[in-house]
Amino acid sequence: MLGFRPLQVAKRKLNPYNKVPAYDVEDAEYNEKHYNSDDDYEAYLSSATSSPSSSRSSSGVHDPRKRPIARPTVSAYSYRNPRAFTRYFGFAIAASLLLFMYFLLDRSWASMRYAELGLHKSPPPRPVWESFPFLKRYHGGIRTLVSREENVPEYPTKDDIDPETPAEEVKKSAPKEKRMEGGNLPDSVPFNPYPDYNSLKYVEEYGPVEKCYLDANDTIELPPLRAYQGVTKGTPDNVMGSYDLFGLRKDVCFERFGRLGPYGLGYSKRRGGTGAAMEGDREGIETVWKESPEVDFRQVKWGEALDRCLEKNTARFRPVTDGRNHLFQSVARKGTDSENIDTTKDDKMYTNGTVREQPKAKHNKVLPRTAVLLRTWSDYEYDDEDIMYLRSFISELSIASGGEYQVHFLIHVKDDNKQIWADEQVYQEVLDNALPPEFAGMGTLWSERQMGLIYGGVEDSMFRGLPVHGNYRSTYMPVTYFAHQHPEFDHFWHWEMDVRYTGHYYHLFSQIGQWADKQPRRGLWERNSRFYVPTVHGSWEDFSQMVRVQTEHGTNNKANRWSSHLPPNPHMPELETQKPEKPIWGPEPPQDYPDIEIDDALRPPRSMVEDKDRPLKDQWGVGEPADLIVLNPLFDPDHTGWILAEDVTGYNRTNGLPPRRSAINTSGRLSRRLLLTMHREQSLKRHTMFSEMWPGSCALHHGLKAVYAPHPVFIDRKWPVQYLAAIFNNGRNGASGGARLSVFSDDRQHNFLGTTWYYHAGHAPNLWKRWLGYKVDNDGGEVEELAGEGRMCLPAMLLHPVKQVDLVQEKQEKQEKPKEDIPT
């Protein structure tokens, strides 16, 4: 293609149109593609270009032989202008730059929006505890039982307690002991935590106790709980809390048949059992029903059994007042008048006639009445595992104790359109459908709309979009109203449906209650705010002394045993988190409480300085029944990352939030005095707080006695215990709260996942299901039990949460109709 040569075009000369080339076109020596110079090339161009006049010449004017050869015409403007190309190219570059800048700005704005909304966060780093190895000896079987003294726990070892000590020689783990048929498996023993009701000492102090049965004829009694002496080989010790502190037995372990066999586990539904655990390891279970036969629970009515038991032993307890029961609450226990009248049954079907004929026994000392409120809801689906749990709960706390505890269901009706407080028939219809038949008549209904009517003056702040009268934010509203309506009870255990205990409930409740009542007031709130780790803190006395030093002197000194294990707190100045604190001594009312009503009996009898100098110090509060017993530390939510710390309603915030204390999980014991104080605060002062913060804060404001009971808590991995103590007590001055790095901050609660007691603990349900004989994460199960060490045997431990356990049950064959006899 010819190039564009504007200068050459400009130098062209105008030649005559009829100029004939000097060469012959047929000359063989002519090569039309060969040019010797630019001048020849320029001559070629000028000769090949015809003028306008040449186009008007006819074809016959010239001799064809002399006609010049036609050449392609070339124009200076027949190709694209380079200036236009450059212009278009520049426009393209500029447009690309503008689009790129717009893209960057748009992504920057989007990134800011995502950051504000918390979207597209990079995944957090893996928690440190996930790198610790799992413990394996929780799943040991009864074929490896050893005494507690001889047991070498898998955790914690000396290396876990003090990593700087020389490592011990690692012994090769022995292979699992294989099960042998007809082996020497020891017999289980009855587990009886009750006082000796027949002893002369007990009868002289409290009077006689009448035995309770499940039927009106006093013939059906429950088999006792059974346990095995010792623990399975290598069973880990609890890392937090203590058995010895409460007097809980740790020299025995419980397997599933000895614990739940009395309540239907291990025998067929045709005989009134659950039909579960019919396969797998069943060696030695016949001893469960050796003293008492299996119970047919299809005929048991627990509500009637409780009424008969209480009537037999009514003289043991403080006299019952009429109370303030309204109709909708009275029918919760007895039903309507027409339902209570049954002329077809003899009086003996409801009470033991022989007891009435006996003279009244003398009861020198009466016991306080205690209600146990089980929280549930009207459409709760009860499976067989739930029912077994409820049977054990009622039997161990009420029936076997002669009525010391009265178990009751507090049932949430989620449908606010049900006018349960306005119509007797509606109330009874909902109640009948809310509980399984064997627990009929043991519940009280409530609804959120009803709470809104009773505590109508409380401001509905809609914190986090939730109503203030809702079950989530105000769990204790129905409890405070229940206490207001039932003055016959002195204490109220508040319990949840997803709590399980491998030990005996009466043993747990009574021992914790007795220990809490003995606790002195001095330093109580400071001890309540810390996890007790025995391998780090030593004895309870050493722990109490350490807490006193940390509080009075701060932790910016040698008293902080584990400060070197943690990085500095970037969210809180050191002086704020480590400076000395003022110990709590008596009520700590909010600043907007000029006219707070505090009972004089709750005020300190003397100043803290005066009490310290007395020979018999630390006596204030000893023997005083605890108003609040919780099963997790009462931490200070101030300065933490707990998202519910500011759910405070009705208080003056001009000078900041009121002093608060919170305990995660609502299971625990509350006194009538505390519940009535909360009731008046809600109804008269219009004050309330988030559910887990309300009882502890109310007790703090009014000077009531609150106690954290450090029950045994287990963990699933091999944590270094110094590191564990530092993580769980990583708040202000060695407490669990009061600082951003508190373990209760939302971004740090993952540390509880491997424990046996927290609202989302993962170790708890896995341990319970494995203990029942089921596979978890493809481990365990009946095949492994039969081939290995046998079924699991665990010490007494509280587990939470445990939800939706589906029992594997025997196949129920349809019964054929009997054939009619053929007459012969």
Side-chain angles (χ1 to χ4, degrees):
M1 179 179 292
L2 297 177
F4 182 75
R5 295 172 179 265
L7 295 178
Q8 293 178 357
V9 172
K11 293 191 295 180
R12 286 185 303 172
K13 298 179 181 180
L14 183 61
N15 294 324
Y17 76 90
N18 57 355
K19 185 175 180 179
V20 180
Y23 53 84
D24 187 358
V25 295
E26 295 181 359
D27 190 353
E29 294 181 0
Y30 169 73
N31 186 355
E32 63 180 3
K33 296 183 179 180
H34 177 72
Y35 302 96
N36 293 326
S37 65
D38 292 341
D39 293 338
D40 295 337
Y41 182 72
E42 185 177 348
Y44 163 77
L45 290 175
S46 60
S47 63
T49 305
S50 60
S51 65
S53 59
S54 66
S55 64
R56 294 193 294 267
S57 299
S58 63
S59 59
V61 174
H62 303 286
D63 187 351
R65 293 178 300 176
K66 303 295 184 179
R67 185 182 305 160
I69 299 174
R71 303 295 181 189
T73 59
V74 179
S75 172
Y77 304 99
S78 62
Y79 298 97
R80 183 172 296 174
N81 190 337
R83 296 177 181 175
F85 172 77
T86 304
R87 184 166 56 250
Y88 296 150
F89 183 74
F91 287 158
I93 293 295
S96 300
L97 289 174
L98 290 174
L99 289 174
F100 182 66
M101 292 173 63
Y102 174 78
F103 173 78
L104 290 179
L105 289 173
D106 179 69
R107 291 298 88 198
S108 176
W109 294 332
S111 178
M112 287 188 292
R113 289 195 299 268
Y114 293 156
E116 292 174 356
L117 298 175
L119 304 175
H120 300 296
K121 285 185 177 180
S122 59
R126 184 183 179 188
V128 176
W129 59 267
E130 288 190 2
S131 62
F132 302 146
F134 279 102
L135 301 174
K136 300 179 180 179
R137 291 308 300 167
Y138 286 114
H139 311 127
I142 56 176
R143 304 293 302 173
T144 64
L145 289 172
V146 295
S147 67
R148 172 66 76 170
E149 292 75 17
E150 296 175 355
N151 181 51
V152 179
E154 181 186 14
Y155 175 82
T157 62
K158 290 183 179 179
D159 186 55
D160 301 318
I161 298 171
D162 189 0
E164 297 180 0
T165 57
E168 296 180 357
E169 183 180 353
V170 180
K171 298 179 181 180
K172 294 183 179 180
S173 58
K176 288 186 177 180
E177 186 175 346
K178 298 298 181 182
R179 176 186 179 85
M180 295 186 300
E181 294 298 331
N184 297 322
L185 182 67
D187 290 335
S188 58
V189 296
F191 186 86
N192 183 11
Y194 302 99
D196 187 358
Y197 293 135
N198 297 321
S199 66
L200 181 61
K201 179 181 178 181
Y202 188 91
V203 173
E204 287 181 350
E205 184 175 2
Y206 295 101
V209 179
E210 294 292 335
K211 189 174 182 179
C212 299
Y213 296 85
L214 298 185
D215 65 326
N217 296 322
D218 293 351
T219 58
I220 302 176
E221 60 179 314
L222 282 165
L225 232 64
R226 301 188 73 87
Y228 280 94
Q229 295 284 358
V231 294
T232 58
K233 186 176 182 180
T235 297
D237 285 341
N238 52 293
V239 68
M240 291 181 283
S242 172
Y243 287 94
D244 299 332
L245 201 61
F246 305 105
L248 295 171
R249 290 186 61 181
K250 64 177 183 179
D251 60 333
V252 295
C253 67
F254 301 85
E255 48 81 40
R256 58 179 177 268
F257 291 106
R259 176 69 183 88
L260 296 176
Y263 312 111
L265 185 71
Y267 58 97
S268 173
K269 282 192 172 185
R270 293 187 295 271
R271 301 201 302 271
T274 60
M278 303 297 290
E279 305 292 339
D281 181 20
R282 292 170 57 89
E283 183 179 1
I285 70 170
E286 61 276 355
T287 57
V288 175
W289 303 282
K290 184 178 181 181
E291 299 179 8
S292 301
E294 301 167 346
V295 176
D296 185 353
F297 287 100
R298 294 173 297 180
Q299 309 300 324
V300 174
K301 300 296 181 183
W302 290 98
E304 296 178 3
L306 285 179
D307 289 341
R308 291 191 296 266
C309 186
L310 189 60
E311 184 177 353
K312 283 182 177 182
N313 296 280
T314 186
R316 298 180 61 201
F317 309 103
R318 182 171 60 83
V320 179
T321 59
D322 293 336
R324 306 176 183 86
N325 293 342
H326 298 306
L327 176 61
F328 73 89
Q329 289 171 319
S330 62
V331 297
R333 291 284 303 167
K334 300 295 184 182
T336 60
D337 293 340
S338 60
E339 292 170 340
N340 289 330
I341 300 175
D342 191 349
T343 58
T344 62
K345 295 183 179 180
D346 186 40
D347 289 341
K348 190 177 179 181
M349 297 299 292
Y350 292 94
T351 59
N352 188 349
T354 58
V355 175
R356 289 184 174 182
E357 296 173 359
Q358 294 178 352
K360 288 290 182 181
K362 185 178 180 181
H363 293 78
N364 296 323
K365 187 176 181 180
V366 295
L367 297 173
R369 294 179 181 270
T370 302
V372 183
L373 300 180
L374 278 164
R375 296 301 297 265
T376 182
W377 52 94
S378 56
D379 55 351
Y380 185 90
E381 296 182 3
Y382 295 85
D383 55 31
D384 287 323
E385 192 268 343
D386 289 321
I387 291 176
M388 270 198 309
Y389 152 64
L390 293 174
R391 290 169 181 167
S392 67
F393 203 72
I394 299 170
S395 172
E396 293 160 19
L397 291 175
S398 298
I399 301 297
S401 69
E404 288 187 32
Y405 297 88
Q406 190 168 346
V407 179
H408 197 73
F409 292 88
L410 200 56
I411 305 169
H412 177 202
V413 180
K414 295 182 179 180
D415 186 0
D416 278 335
N417 294 320
K418 292 283 187 181
Q419 301 291 338
I420 56 174
W421 63 88
D423 186 82
E424 175 185 333
Q425 184 176 357
V426 172
Y427 186 98
Q428 196 63 43
E429 179 183 352
V430 175
L431 183 60
D432 290 343
N433 297 325
L435 291 172
E438 62 180 283
F439 307 113
M442 294 180 61
T444 295
L445 305 180
W446 71 276
S447 68
E448 294 180 3
R449 179 172 291 179
Q450 178 191 3
M451 294 300 106
L453 294 174
I454 295 170
Y455 301 110
V458 178
E459 177 188 359
D460 199 347
S461 56
M462 294 299 291
F463 185 84
R464 300 184 66 85
L466 298 170
V468 72
H469 297 98
N471 182 53
Y472 182 69
R473 289 182 61 196
S474 296
T475 303
Y476 287 102
M477 276 188 179
V479 183
T480 57
Y481 190 61
F482 185 90
H484 174 69
Q485 294 293 324
H486 291 272
E488 67 270 23
F489 297 114
D490 298 278
H491 298 283
F492 300 79
W493 276 93
H494 186 262
W495 213 246
E496 298 180 4
M497 283 292 299
D498 56 355
V499 176
R500 298 293 184 269
Y501 187 52
T502 57
H504 197 287
Y505 283 109
Y506 181 89
H507 191 42
L508 175 71
F509 280 27
S510 61
Q511 296 302 113
I512 285 181
Q514 293 172 19
W515 177 83
D517 295 345
K518 296 175 183 177
Q519 293 307 296
R521 290 282 202 132
R522 182 183 178 84
L524 183 58
W525 284 103
E526 289 73 33
R527 294 191 299 274
N528 288 340
S529 65
R530 289 160 170 81
F531 287 94
Y532 174 46
V533 185
T535 52
V536 174
H537 300 144
S539 66
W540 184 254
E541 290 73 21
D542 292 340
F543 173 70
S544 302
Q545 174 68 7
M546 182 200 70
V547 172
R548 184 190 66 81
V549 173
Q550 288 180 337
T551 303
E552 296 179 359
H553 301 280
T555 53
N556 194 15
N557 50 57
K558 295 181 180 180
N560 186 354
R561 298 185 179 183
W562 47 76
S563 60
S564 61
H565 294 268
L566 297 172
N569 187 342
H571 303 283
M572 187 64 63
E574 294 294 327
L575 294 178
E576 285 293 325
T577 58
Q578 296 184 355
K579 69 180 183 181
E581 299 176 64
K582 176 186 175 183
I584 296 175
W585 187 251
E588 291 284 331
Q591 295 182 3
D592 65 333
Y593 254 28
D595 57 345
I596 184 173
E597 299 177 0
I598 298 178
D599 189 352
D600 290 336
L602 299 175
R603 297 185 183 275
R606 63 194 67 87
S607 68
M608 184 176 291
V609 176
E610 294 173 345
D611 186 77
K612 186 187 298 184
D613 297 334
R614 288 174 59 87
L616 298 176
K617 63 179 182 179
D618 293 344
Q619 293 302 306
W620 180 41
V622 175
E624 176 188 8
D627 293 288
L628 176 64
I629 301 175
V630 294
L631 302 174
N632 256 333
L634 280 159
F635 71 98
D636 183 1
D638 199 23
H639 297 300
T640 67
W642 188 47
I643 61 173
L644 300 166
E646 297 185 1
D647 187 1
V648 176
T649 303
Y651 288 87
N652 186 351
R653 300 193 182 192
T654 304
N655 297 318
L657 293 168
R660 291 148 293 150
R661 293 295 184 271
S662 181
I664 304 300
N665 192 306
T666 60
S667 295
R669 194 187 81 176
L670 301 93
S671 70
R672 172 174 174 78
R673 180 169 63 177
L674 173 59
L675 289 173
L676 291 185
T677 302
M678 295 163 62
H679 172 72
R680 290 192 299 269
E681 286 280 321
Q682 293 167 159
S683 57
L684 302 179
K685 301 292 184 180
R686 281 32 173 188
H687 290 167
T688 188
M689 296 185 189
F690 182 71
S691 301
E692 294 168 320
M693 191 162 51
W694 183 220
S697 300
C698 194
L700 177 67
H701 298 168
H702 291 265
L704 301 176
K705 185 179 180 180
V707 180
Y708 157 53
H711 62 96
V713 176
F714 295 78
I715 203 160
D716 66 343
R717 295 177 187 252
K718 201 174 178 63
W719 288 56
V721 291
Q722 291 277 358
Y723 176 77
L724 182 142
I727 289 295
F728 283 88
N729 287 329
N730 194 20
R732 180 185 178 94
N733 284 330
S736 60
R740 181 63 182 84
L741 291 185
S742 165
V743 73
F744 296 109
S745 296
D746 275 42
D747 58 342
R748 299 179 65 81
Q749 293 188 37
H750 60 80
N751 291 285
F752 288 99
L753 287 173
T755 66
T756 52
W757 185 258
Y758 205 61
Y759 79 90
H760 68 335
H763 188 35
N766 292 345
L767 207 57
W768 180 258
K769 292 174 184 177
R770 284 289 301 268
W771 180 76
L772 286 175
Y774 298 128
K775 278 190 174 184
V776 176
D777 296 331
N778 208 31
D779 288 328
E782 60 184 38
V783 175
E784 182 174 322
E785 288 181 350
L786 290 171
E789 301 175 357
R791 57 189 180 273
M792 286 174 57
C793 196
L794 292 174
M797 60 175 70
L798 271 171
L799 302 173
H800 181 263
V802 178
K803 303 176 185 289
Q804 195 61 38
V805 180
D806 298 322
L807 299 179
V808 178
Q809 296 169 309
E810 64 178 345
K811 183 178 180 181
Q812 291 290 314
E813 297 181 359
K814 295 183 179 180
Q815 295 182 356
E816 297 182 358
K817 295 182 179 180
K819 297 181 180 180
E820 297 181 358
D821 294 335
I822 301 176
T824 56

